[in-house]
Amino acid sequence: MDDSLFSSYLDKPSIFKNKNILTSNYIPDKIAHREEQIKQLASIVAPALRSYSPNNAFVFGTVGTGKTISAHFVMNELLTAAKKNKTVPIKTIYINCKMKKVADTEYRLFARLLKEFDCVVPDTGLPTDVLYRKFFELIDKQEQIIILVLDEIDALVSKVGDEFLYNLTRINTDLTKAHLAIIGITNDLSFTDALDARVKSSLGEEEIIFPPYNALQLRDILMERAAAGFNDGVLEESVINKCAALAAQEHGDARRAIDLLRVAGEVAEREHETKISEKHVDIAEQRIDLDRVTESVKTQPRQSQAVLYAIIKADSDKLGSLLTGDVFDKYKEICTNNGLKILTQRRISDLIAELDMLGIIHTKVISHGRYGRSREISLAIEGTVLDNVKKILFDRFGE
DNA sequence: GTCAATTCACATGAAAGAGACCACGGTCTAGTG
DNA sequence: CTAGACCGTGGTCTCTTTCATGTGAATTGACGA
């Protein structure tokens, strides 16, 4: 069985030493260029070690600036320090509020919190305030300090309002034994403006800002990861520079940089090369784009796909600018051909806005004076990516 | 020629409905001793 | 007598509709030079 199906994979020396390190949710032992922020965050949560309740805090920074990873890092450190010092029990809870079906509503947020305390509640059916009370009773049973990290908190607030935050802060004043500190992470710098004044003042006791990385810092980060993640000698120095430069253009997104590097490695491996070169980075960039778009197109609900298909078809039919009305007409056609229910234009307008958010199309509201005001729609994808999307949609809807 | 009013084709917001899912408590039914 | 089936009520959640209001510049038409 020597030349089994997989022998060619196993025989070849792998490019990767530890691929895990090259994913963006890996937490390294030390986080480069974030010393200042980590120190700040540590000083905020440090009172927990002396059994005082830490202040609430907000962490700001655009995507890929290391907020989440730093928060994880500090929480881990805090827990190990607490273990050594034998303090009041400290519990840290990390919740990503954007995760679909996990914590994207108030009910589910509390359900998730309860789950952290081994209290399983049904997905639905209970009034939210029952969960709230349950949570309250549960944590106040014993003396403890709970640090709750709410990642992407802006997503949840924009969806369900800021009332739950108010409830959470109020919990704190009613607790007798336990303490609850909230650390909100957001990539919307103006997030607090929209908050209720009461929430803002009690939650924004401390603020930490994570600036974007520049190309040099990204390079350092990649160097570290690459050294641990790749086998020696598979990487040309220029590859790292290129990844760093590309990601720096995208507002210094370290996640992007790391993904680029990893995918470049995967591409090289697939092509049975022993070295990663710059051309692999180019391919990786395209592939990440392709994967991102096709994935989100595939997972869109049918109606949304129909709208996208309408946009693509109308775009190729029509010269000049494409307006919501044009798309709606085309969409109606597609629906009748496929026995799909025709939704109102109001709804289509929203679906178009969502597609814009996904980065699949570009959208701009412009006024044509006497001839009304509408969105001018254009495709944000082209070439192979567009062809792929077309194919997916064609399979779904045919002509 | 100038200027304010008009007008279009939607955008944007708010509220509420439909239908799926579910928990809970009470009532009914059938099986058991 | 009791365990389990069944039902009504009330809850969440997503997708959608309905109703209402907003918007910005091309066009229009009144007006004065």
Side-chain angles (χ1 to χ4, degrees), chain A residues 259-274:
Chain A
D259 285 344
L260 268 174
L261 191 58
R262 185 190 65 252
V263 175
E266 286 170 357
V267 169
E269 196 167 60
R270 193 158 305 172
E271 290 182 357
H272 303 291
E273 304 222 10
T274 50

Side-chain angles (χ1 to χ4, degrees), chain A residues 83-258:
Chain A
K83 212 176 281 171
K84 254 186 247 159
N85 285 6
K86 284 257 182 191
T87 56
V88 171
I90 296 177
K91 187 164 174 65
T92 66
I93 302 173
Y94 170 86
I95 292 181
N96 187 326
C97 303
K98 214 176 175 175
M99 295 231 303
K100 283 259 180 285
K101 309 277 177 191
V102 177
D104 55 351
T105 68
E106 184 178 6
Y107 181 92
R108 295 214 260 251
L109 174 67
F110 276 100
R112 185 64 218 287
L113 283 173
L114 284 164
K115 208 168 137 214
E116 288 290 328
F117 292 91
D118 295 320
C119 172
V120 177
V121 293
D123 294 343
T124 165
L126 293 181
T128 306
D129 59 303
V130 170
L131 297 207
Y132 175 80
R133 266 202 301 280
K134 237 181 189 164
F135 176 66
F136 181 90
E137 282 163 20
L138 208 57
I139 61 175
D140 209 26
K141 257 198 301 219
Q142 61 163 323
E143 208 164 311
Q144 60 179 332
I145 291 172
I146 295 163
I147 298 176
L148 176 59
V149 181
L150 295 175
D151 203 349
E152 314 224 36
I153 195 173
D154 45 327
L156 186 50
V157 169
S158 69
K159 204 176 150 198
V160 302
D162 55 7
E163 209 165 312
F164 77 96
L165 279 177
Y166 177 64
N167 288 341
L168 275 175
T169 55
R170 219 185 43 192
I171 272 189
N172 220 351
T173 59
D174 295 345
L175 288 169
T176 52
K177 291 183 193 152
H179 294 288
L180 177 71
I182 299 164
I183 296 175
I185 302 181
T186 163
N187 46 36
D188 178 5
L189 295 177
S190 59
F191 169 64
T192 47
D193 297 351
L195 285 181
D196 186 298
R198 294 170 303 184
V199 177
K200 193 157 58 171
S201 66
S202 72
L203 234 66
E205 288 165 332
E206 313 264 0
E207 292 185 355
I208 304 178
I209 292 170
F210 281 62
Y213 296 109
N214 62 35
L216 283 178
Q217 293 170 330
L218 286 172
R219 214 181 62 122
D220 288 344
I221 293 167
L222 289 179
M223 290 282 217
E224 268 173 38
R225 296 276 183 123
F230 287 116
N231 281 316
D232 296 338
V234 299
L235 210 55
E236 289 165 24
E237 164 118 14
S238 59
V239 170
I240 287 194
N241 290 340
K242 179 150 193 178
C243 290
L246 284 174
Q249 285 168 21
E250 306 238 338
H251 356 274
D253 183 346
R255 183 173 311 173
R256 169 109 177 143
I258 292 166

Side-chain angles (χ1 to χ4, degrees), chain A residues 28-45:
Chain A
D29 299 335
K30 94 182 221 299
I31 297 165
H33 301 296
R34 283 296 173 250
E35 293 82 4
E36 195 53 43
Q37 284 78 14
I38 285 179
K39 217 187 282 173
Q40 274 186 55
L41 191 54
S43 71
I44 290 170
V45 296

